[in-house]
Amino acid sequence: MIEKQMKIGIISLFPEMFSSTIKFGIIHKAIKKRFLKLYFYDLKSQVDTYRKSIDDRPYGGGYGTIVMASPVIRSIYSAKKKLGKNSKVLYLSPQGKILDQNSIRKFLKEEVLLLVCGRYRGIDERIIENEIHEEWSIGNYILSCGEFAAMVILDAIARLIPGVTNCYKSTEKDSFSKGLLDHPHYTRPKTIGGLDIPSVLLSGNHKKIEIWREKQSLGQTWLKRPELLKKIHLTQRQRYLLNLFQKEYKRKSR
């Protein structure tokens, strides 16, 4: 359980991009309930007055521009003065480790995070070596800026803070929470497009429903994200249920 308010600083060239993000949804709830407090640091305010530019050409030539070191360093120091010198500094870039649910849970243990949003072709490497604790990516693709990645991280963190969502326990059963995808979900009406709700869900037998959901969770992972199964140690019960799902699936596919 998180007893203290979590603080997250965001260093961005365009902090105004976050205005809608913090006005709606789960991030807004976390802020309103005072579980989360955000601080924004505008890179533009740290630009050298004589240069009046945030980026410059890379040494050695090549395409594109690089965010200059001084505005980023000044922003980091300014944030640390407010948030504390022990703030964990994360740089959001395509070269970072791929974000997953376990990573988000680890972030929750931090009292203060400082997110540095990448832009253009990146930031000066010396900043990464001297000021950045960890590099993180939200996937193997390129975005125009790190602000979108920061929004993803904020949302993922906010929804896991106890007390923010109406039903916190539901987040413990989300896809990836235990290394597996979630089971299928159904609601009214009973029939849609000729397809009925699985009869076990109408049985009222909670034990059978629990077993069905566990089997489906294993099966959906096997069908959609089989690489996840290689990362976890399946119990004898799980291996049995997965084998049962595979037999049923192959029988239906004939």
Side-chain angles (χ1 to χ4, degrees), residues 180-197:
L180 300 171
L181 300 186
D182 199 3
H183 58 78
H185 297 273
Y186 300 87
T187 188
R188 294 170 180 79
K190 291 182 181 180
T191 303
I192 298 177
L195 297 176
D196 295 328
I197 293 173

Side-chain angles (χ1 to χ4, degrees), residues 117-182:
C117 301
R119 175 80 53 166
Y120 306 122
R121 291 195 57 88
I123 62 177
D124 193 294
E125 186 68 21
R126 290 163 293 186
I127 303 174
I128 298 174
E129 292 180 10
N130 292 331
E131 307 294 343
I132 303 298
H133 295 117
E134 297 175 1
E135 282 187 82
W136 287 95
S137 168
I138 62 170
N140 294 324
Y141 47 88
I142 306 299
L143 297 171
S144 60
C145 60
E147 281 81 359
F148 295 119
M151 293 176 195
V152 168
I153 290 176
L154 288 176
D155 187 89
I157 287 175
R159 65 184 306 281
L160 287 185
I161 298 176
V164 174
T165 61
N166 292 331
C167 184
Y168 173 71
K169 284 194 173 182
S170 70
T171 65
E172 297 176 338
K173 295 184 180 296
D174 287 336
S175 291
F176 309 115
S177 295
K178 295 182 180 180
L180 300 171
L181 300 186
D182 199 3

